[in-house]
């Protein structure tokens, strides 16, 4: 499908065959992104790993992410910090369990995702379950995602850009500033402490500061600040939305909830609780996460752009066309999936590792060179968080609510949420 609005030509891809042509065969021509006007606030697009064009700088950022943050060795070394967050989650849930109080799963999952990233990068928490700091951060992230995805007339008619008619860039500047100021203060604080102590370099922030302080640094302070901004925005909402959808589907399917809980009881060590190393021993848990991402991909549309004319299965896509890959519709396509609207984790039990973006009917993390660099991190955080929620507790809906009345409507955006937040009560098992 092709649509032209104002000066922007858009092509929508909804079949695995064409998606493969676009993201595999024509990867080089189609791996840039069309940058919305709003995102250009504070020149974020010039520093952003998400928005900058394929370039030596982008490759450096991807390489640094892969080696300094998301390598197995690095993730193993930060595991203890994330496990601590999960233990705190259990204590918080136990309290609500005693009171019989319903909790907002999306909110709790956001707090854990946020603290998992902040403890992995900086060895500190940015939020707690009992303060409103997490909600404030979540508000900033969701406002950013709304402002980046809302139709903006200035994107379609560039002559309007100077006046920012919908105020999108002004609002975005404000959101960016809040997070950049926070990261800057964390970095300043760490640099000051490093002057006082000659400590061994230990966490991600330390190794980034090491790079910045080199004579010809691959990264400047500015690059690092904007990279942190991207990692928090790309990593928090996606991971927490996935956990919320998984819990909603399991509540609607009590037999599958029972099955996953039984698997967890067999595998998890009672004294330690779920940890990263357990994931490989939990095939049903993995299948549940995959099935959740098929039905509710937290990033439902891939947004790319052509940098030259491209031929896609006989269709000509002109240079500078916005190319959208509809991951959501491919996940529900009845020519690819049997009973596409049914939540059936069993369909993934025999598939093994398929998050590499090679099966183009199922690409929740994208494919090709722009594929999500956070997959190894998301894999650990989403599985261990879901396992923790389900290993320690059974779950029920608040009094008076019935499974069949649960509202599973999706709210489309850069991240796809439940329109009605999932409220559910932890029950002692
Ligand atoms: C369930 C969780 C997640 C999902 C479903 C997801 C999905 C995606 C998708 C679909 C893309 C775009 C790929 C493309 O354009 O072809 C992407 C890009 C990206 N993701 Fe994720 N993601 C998740 C978690 C994370 C986490 C935890 C992080 C980091 C902490 C992260 C960081 C990024 C970054 C930086 C990009 C931009 C890469 C680039 O443009 O080069 N994501 N993600």
């Amino acid at each position: 499908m092709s649509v032209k609005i104002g000066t922007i030509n858009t092509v929508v891809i909804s079949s695995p065959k064409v998606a493969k042509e676009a993201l595999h065969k024509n990867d080089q021509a189609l791996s840039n992104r069309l940058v919305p006007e709003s995102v250009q606030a504070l020149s974020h697009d010039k520093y952003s790993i998400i928005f900058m064009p394929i370039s030596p700088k982008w490759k450096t950022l991807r390489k640094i992410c892969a080696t300094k943050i998301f390598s197995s060795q690095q993730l193993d070394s930060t595991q203890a910090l994330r496990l601590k967050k999960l233990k705190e989650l259990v204590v918080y849930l136990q309290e609500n369990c005693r009171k019989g109080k319903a909790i907002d799963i999306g909110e709790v999952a956001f707090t854990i995702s946020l603290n998992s990233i902040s403890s992995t990068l900086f060895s500190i928490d940015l939020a707690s379950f009992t303060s409103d700091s997490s909600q404030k951060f979540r508000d900033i992230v969701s406002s950013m995602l709304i402002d980046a995805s809302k139709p903006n007339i200035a994107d379609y008619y560039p002559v309007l850009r100077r006046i920012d008619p919908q105020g999108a860039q002004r609002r975005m500047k404000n959101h960016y500033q809040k997070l950049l100021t926070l990261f800057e203060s964390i970095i300043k604080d760490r640099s000051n402490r490093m002057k006082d102590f000659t400590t061994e370099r230990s966490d991600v922030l330390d190794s980034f500061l090491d790079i910045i302080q080199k004579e010809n640094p691959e990264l400047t302070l500015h690059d690092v600040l904007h990279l942190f901004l991207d990692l928090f925005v790309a990593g928090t909402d996606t991971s927490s939305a996935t956990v919320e959808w998984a819990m909603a589907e399991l509540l609607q399917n009590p037999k599958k909830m029972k099955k996953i809980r039984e698997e967890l009881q067999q595998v998890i060590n009672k004294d330690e609780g779920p940890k990263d190393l357990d994931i490989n021993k939990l095939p049903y848990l993995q299948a549940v996460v995959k099935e959740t991402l098929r039905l509710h991909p937290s990033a439902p549309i891939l947004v790319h752009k052509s940098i030259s004319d491209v031929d896609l299965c006989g269709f000509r896509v002109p240079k500078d066309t916005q190319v959208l890959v509809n991951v959501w519709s491919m996940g529900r396509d009845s020519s690819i999936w049997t009973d596409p609207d049914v939540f059936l984790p069993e369909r993934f039990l025999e598939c093994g590792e398929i998050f590499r973006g090679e099966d183009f009917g199922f690409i929740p993390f994208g494919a090709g060179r722009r594929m999500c660099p956070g997959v190894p991190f998301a894999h650990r955080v989403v599985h261990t968080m879901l396992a923790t929620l389900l290993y320690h507790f059974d779950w029920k809906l608040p009094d008076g609510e019935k499974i069949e009345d649960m509202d599973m409507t999706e709210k489309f955006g850069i991240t796809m949420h439940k329109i009605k937040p999932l409220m559910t009560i932890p029950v002692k098992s």
Side-chain angles (χ1 to χ4, degrees), residues 47 55 76 84 101 108 126 139 165 183 209 254 259 284 362:
Y47 300 96
S55 56
D76 284 347
K84 206 165 146 245
K101 198 172 150 204
V108 164
L126 283 181
D139 288 344
F183 300 141
L209 287 177
K259 191 165 167 182
Y284 198 66
F362 182 65

Side-chain angles (χ1 to χ4, degrees), residues 52 54-64 369:
M52 76 170 66
I54 302 291
S55 56
K57 185 87 195 182
W58 173 82
K59 282 188 189 145
T60 302
L61 288 173
R62 295 276 307 203
K63 195 181 96 203
I64 286 178
R369 56 186 89 183

Side-chain angles (χ1 to χ4, degrees), residues 82-90 112 274 384-385 388:
R82 291 188 299 276
L83 280 184
K84 206 165 146 245
K85 304 299 109 203
L86 293 176
K87 294 224 159 92
E88 287 163 17
L89 169 66
V90 175
I112 290 287
T384 50
M385 197 186 331
T388 303

Side-chain angles (χ1 to χ4, degrees), residues 16-68:
K17 187 173 160 215
V18 188
K20 189 169 184 180
E21 282 269 317
L23 301 172
H24 199 65
K25 196 167 149 206
N26 293 290
D27 194 19
Q28 180 124 24
L30 292 173
S31 287
N32 283 1
R33 302 198 195 275
L34 203 82
V35 183
E37 209 27 42
S38 57
V39 167
Q40 294 172 32
L42 298 178
S43 302
H44 178 61
D45 56 314
K46 306 272 184 315
Y47 300 96
S48 160
I49 186 173
I50 301 176
F51 287 102
M52 76 170 66
I54 302 291
S55 56
K57 185 87 195 182
W58 173 82
K59 282 188 189 145
T60 302
L61 288 173
R62 295 276 307 203
K63 195 181 96 203
I64 286 178
C65 282
T67 53
K68 305 278 177 202

Side-chain angles (χ1 to χ4, degrees), residues 115-290:
N115 281 341
S116 297
I117 299 183
S118 70
S119 54
T120 302
L121 297 182
F122 314 136
S123 318
I124 60 169
D125 290 347
L126 283 181
S128 76
F129 297 113
T130 45
S131 79
D132 62 355
S133 47
S134 172
Q135 189 52 43
K136 279 191 185 146
F137 203 103
R138 199 177 180 201
D139 288 344
I140 300 175
V141 171
S142 44
S143 308
M144 258 185 207
L145 296 175
I146 289 169
D147 280 322
S149 61
K150 219 191 241 167
N152 180 1
I153 193 157
D155 285 329
Y156 300 96
Y157 298 98
V159 65
L160 297 172
R161 280 182 190 165
R162 266 190 316 132
I163 56 169
D164 189 19
Q166 290 167 242
Q169 201 176 99
R170 277 194 298 281
R171 283 195 300 280
M172 199 62 118
K173 186 173 164 197
N174 189 21
H175 308 318
Y176 284 164
Q177 242 152 7
K178 284 185 190 151
L179 295 192
L180 291 172
T181 308
L182 171 69
F183 300 141
E184 206 169 353
S185 74
I186 293 172
I187 292 182
K188 254 200 195 132
D189 185 49
R190 179 67 63 90
S191 307
N192 287 340
R193 275 198 285 139
M194 276 164 65
K195 276 185 215 143
D196 298 340
F197 306 99
T198 42
T199 46
E200 282 265 297
R201 300 282 180 269
S202 58
D203 66 2
V204 174
L205 180 54
D206 286 333
S207 61
F208 275 42
L209 287 177
D210 255 359
I211 301 175
I212 294 173
Q213 282 157 3
K214 285 204 175 112
E215 203 169 306
N216 288 312
E218 295 166 274
L219 288 186
T220 64
L221 176 63
H222 243 70
D223 296 325
V224 172
L225 287 170
H226 286 265
L227 176 63
F228 288 160
L229 175 65
D230 279 353
L231 295 178
F232 276 93
V233 174
T236 44
D237 218 32
T238 43
S239 307
S240 57
T242 305
V243 170
E244 183 179 16
W245 279 115
M247 287 294 285
E249 288 291 355
L250 289 168
L251 274 157
Q252 282 216 316
N253 292 275
K255 281 192 187 142
K256 302 193 190 312
M257 171 80 94
K258 188 164 173 269
K259 191 165 167 182
I260 194 171
R261 296 200 68 237
E262 278 168 6
E263 184 185 71
L264 289 163
Q265 305 307 324
Q266 278 164 22
V267 171
I268 303 301
N269 178 309
K270 208 165 97 213
D271 300 323
E272 295 176 352
K275 50 188 192 315
D276 296 359
L277 265 181
D278 296 325
I279 300 171
N280 280 343
K281 295 179 250 160
L282 296 161
Y284 198 66
L285 173 74
Q286 292 188 50
V288 163
V289 171
K290 284 177 183 140

Side-chain angles (χ1 to χ4, degrees), residues 93-110:
L93 294 176
Q94 274 162 347
E95 229 171 272
N96 286 279
C97 175
R98 260 195 309 276
K99 293 180 194 155
K101 198 172 150 204
I103 59 155
D104 180 335
I105 290 284
E107 201 174 300
V108 164
F110 189 91

